Amino acid sequence: MARIPQQVLGAAALLAGTPAAQAQDFVPTSYDVTTSQIYTRPVQEQYRRHKVRTVLVQQQTDERGRRDVTPGFTIASFQECDGKGRVVRQYWAQDGRLGRRMDLDYAADDELRLVTSFSRLPDPADTTRLGQVWLPASCTHYPPMPGTGSAALWNEQSGDWEPYERSRTWKQRDTTYLATSSYLTGKVKQLSRTYYVGPGEKLWRQDKLTFNDYRLREAAYDYIKLNGKQVLEMGQLDFRKEFIDYVAAHPEAGPLKKDEPTQWQDDLARHTKGLTLPQFTQTYDASGGVSTSDGYGRRSIFKRNEQGQLLESQHYVFDELVRLTKYTYLPNGLLDQLTSYDKQGQKTGTAQYRYGFY
């Protein structure tokens, strides 16, 4: 049920708090629905409002061909939250055993500053959280604005962190830059530019430039269309027409080579509109909740009550129904349980949410 957000997977990843980090909460890695699609308010706001301290998710998976057997619930994930509703520790389980852990530290302004991941040492005899031994795996220090950060892996032999990346962020005019370099050589590996285009904060761009030891190796241009905090569309920008027109007017620029970007191409892409190629879209209902999401070969339809609570979600892959999920809630409005069914209507699994409060 739970997943690691993309923005905490490396020092070169997106800075927390950006539209891209926000948008990641809307893209499921499976047919699962994310908390940002279940609630009409940010989940952190929900947890802060209800003074949630812990969230235990237990799952029950029905075995095909064994309808006479009712399987028990096993732990799927466990979260610890602070008084502001922020997740400060997350555990993931496999086969009912907690095996991965991630700790998150924040600055006073709620910006994510440090993420440390751990793996659990194998111990078949120990199946409880008590007495577990966690081995550090990686950590990422996110830079403040402006400032520097780093990423490191745990070295078991030395018993210490071994840095491998350094990041630096700064703002110039309307653009935020994030440069990631090798910790050992100091050479820049990736440069990210993020900025809004046009009036208002409705179109957000991220230009990602990847370098090797000699030159610019790859350039990718992404965008997100926004309506306030609502993510309407995500995709890539295509500049092939602009590049072709430029070479026609400036033959000295040389022939275009596939997968070999040049500096003039990046300069042109930075200052032109390009063609939008949507990869993911969402619509919202009057309550502010997601009503449809479409992209990456998947389509989901969300049915809500008058209060905006998600009651049912239908998930299609290339127009074929693959999963239907129904949701119930506690009296305070927090998610209580979800039950999934296959296209024949047979139950495939249940997840129940159990909360601890301050």
Side-chain angles (χ1 to χ4, degrees):
M1 292 294 172
R3 63 193 178 95
I4 301 177
Q6 182 67 30
Q7 67 265 31
V8 300
L9 294 182
L14 306 171
L15 291 173
T18 65
Q22 171 189 335
Q24 283 294 330
D25 290 335
F26 288 98
V27 185
T29 54
S30 181
Y31 306 125
D32 298 327
V33 176
T34 69
T35 52
S36 296
Q37 291 167 327
I38 291 175
Y39 296 113
T40 57
R41 298 181 178 183
V43 67
Q44 179 181 332
E45 183 180 330
Q46 291 277 54
Y47 289 172
R48 179 176 64 247
R49 196 167 136 231
H50 295 292
K51 299 182 179 180
V52 173
R53 185 172 185 174
T54 59
V55 184
L56 171 65
V57 182
Q58 296 175 303
Q59 63 184 5
Q60 179 188 60
T61 304
D62 289 14
E63 297 182 23
R64 292 185 177 276
R66 295 296 305 275
R67 302 299 176 185
D68 58 324
V69 177
T70 302
F73 281 91
T74 59
I75 185 171
S77 66
F78 184 77
Q79 290 181 341
E80 298 177 12
C81 305
D82 64 10
K84 293 185 176 182
R86 304 174 302 191
V87 176
V88 294
R89 181 166 290 176
Q90 169 84 54
Y91 298 88
W92 290 270
Q94 186 173 10
D95 299 326
R97 288 169 48 80
L98 296 173
R100 291 185 296 129
R101 171 183 138 195
M102 183 170 65
D103 293 356
L104 302 95
D105 294 294
Y106 303 85
D109 58 0
D110 287 351
E111 287 291 317
L112 189 62
R113 281 291 169 262
L114 173 64
V115 175
T116 309
S117 62
F118 301 81
S119 59
R120 182 179 178 274
L121 293 175
D123 182 5
D126 183 6
T127 58
T128 69
R129 291 197 300 275
L130 299 176
Q132 286 187 356
V133 178
W134 295 93
L135 182 69
S138 65
C139 71
T140 301
H141 292 263
Y142 288 94
M145 175 62 69
T148 59
S150 63
L153 297 174
W154 183 256
N155 188 317
E156 292 187 42
Q157 293 182 339
S158 65
D160 200 357
W161 294 107
E162 190 172 287
Y164 67 92
E165 274 185 355
R166 178 181 279 115
S167 56
R168 183 170 68 93
T169 184
W170 69 97
K171 191 164 186 176
Q172 185 175 343
R173 295 180 182 176
D174 63 340
T175 303
T176 298
Y177 295 85
L178 175 64
T180 306
S181 59
S182 167
Y183 195 90
L184 294 177
T185 67
K187 292 183 178 180
V188 175
K189 298 162 57 178
Q190 188 176 81
L191 177 67
S192 167
R193 299 187 301 247
T194 58
Y195 50 97
Y196 289 96
V197 178
E201 297 184 345
K202 296 183 180 298
L203 181 63
W204 185 86
R205 271 188 58 169
Q206 183 188 38
D207 305 339
K208 292 180 290 187
L209 310 179
T210 305
F211 302 86
N212 58 19
D213 290 339
Y214 307 102
R215 60 176 180 83
L216 176 63
R217 180 172 61 85
E218 185 179 357
Y221 306 96
D222 301 325
Y223 74 92
I224 299 176
K225 288 185 179 179
L226 301 161
N227 178 26
K229 292 185 177 181
Q230 294 180 345
V231 176
L232 304 179
E233 181 178 299
M234 294 185 286
Q236 294 183 331
L237 293 167
D238 188 301
F239 298 97
R240 282 175 293 184
K241 181 180 184 303
E242 287 80 356
F243 294 162
I244 292 172
D245 291 345
Y246 183 88
V247 170
H250 303 84
E252 68 277 9
L256 292 173
K257 296 182 180 180
K258 186 178 180 181
D259 299 328
E260 288 189 22
T262 61
Q263 188 61 53
W264 70 260
Q265 288 176 310
D266 179 56
D267 291 338
L268 190 60
R270 174 70 171 88
H271 298 98
T272 54
K273 186 176 180 180
L275 175 67
T276 57
L277 303 176
Q279 295 179 323
F280 182 80
T281 60
Q282 285 192 143
T283 60
Y284 295 78
D285 63 15
S287 70
V290 178
S291 55
T292 64
S293 68
D294 201 341
Y296 310 107
R298 304 168 184 165
R299 177 173 175 79
S300 297
I301 299 174
F302 306 93
K303 297 182 179 180
R304 301 177 183 273
N305 61 17
E306 294 180 354
Q307 290 74 40
Q309 289 181 328
L310 179 61
L311 302 180
E312 180 181 293
S313 61
Q314 301 171 5
H315 307 280
Y316 298 82
V317 174
F318 300 113
D319 298 325
E320 180 183 358
L321 178 66
V322 295
R323 182 176 300 185
L324 183 146
T325 304
K326 297 183 178 181
Y327 307 81
T328 60
Y329 298 84
L330 298 172
N332 62 9
L334 292 174
L335 180 64
D336 176 40
Q337 183 170 287
L338 62 85
T339 304
S340 295
Y341 304 84
D342 61 21
K343 60 183 178 181
Q344 283 81 31
Q346 296 290 338
K347 189 170 74 169
T348 57
T350 301
Q352 60 183 17
Y353 291 69
R354 298 295 176 258
Y355 304 91
F357 301 93
Y358 282 99

